[in-house]
Amino acid sequence: MTEPNQNPYLEGGNYQWGPTQPPGHDQGFANGYGHGAGYGAGFPQGSLVPAAGPYGAGVPLLVLGDITVLQDSIVTPNGTLPLKGAVWNALDMSRTEERIPTHAVVLAIVFSLLCLVGLLFLLMKEKRTTGFIQVTVTSAGRHHTTMIPATGPGTVHWVMGQLNYARSLSI
């Protein structure tokens, strides 16, 4: 390169770094970067309407497993279902077990020699939730089922809250 500010791949030599602005566009700030007047951080400078994503036009309102709810449709791996008139069902197939952990039994045996204080270790409990919550959606004669893993006792309540929101959108 003979001159330091020239781009060797651009013909004509007038190289500008950064995005080009449409004619007549006033950014409201000096260098063209940062927070623009009238726009929030991270929004495109042209329009505040979201562009079409991988699900088509619209923004996902709700995602339950592999079921995605849009403004007017439900996207599943089996295809797209209409949102209007959809029937949602859930089946709780999870269980929560409560047991005394192994280390509590060992501590109870070791400390039971000291005035039976070690028996207090047997009051320690451990809860473990396993299983799935099955969510089924039926619309236009087709249905899809997904399984959501239960990670804790509150997972069922969270799924039911999301399901009630999906039901309110289907009316």
Side-chain angles (χ1 to χ4, degrees), residues 97-104 120-128:
E97 299 172 343
E98 185 174 325
R99 64 182 190 97
I100 300 172
T102 307
H103 65 274
L120 292 176
F121 285 108
L122 294 177
L123 296 177
M124 293 174 61
K125 300 290 182 189
E126 176 182 72
K127 288 186 177 181
R128 196 173 96 186

Side-chain angles (χ1 to χ4, degrees), residues 75-100:
V75 179
T76 67
N78 296 336
T80 303
L81 309 172
L83 180 61
K84 187 104 175 147
V87 177
W88 298 85
N89 292 314
L91 177 63
D92 182 14
M93 297 188 297
S94 66
R95 66 177 188 205
T96 301
E97 299 172 343
E98 185 174 325
R99 64 182 190 97
I100 300 172

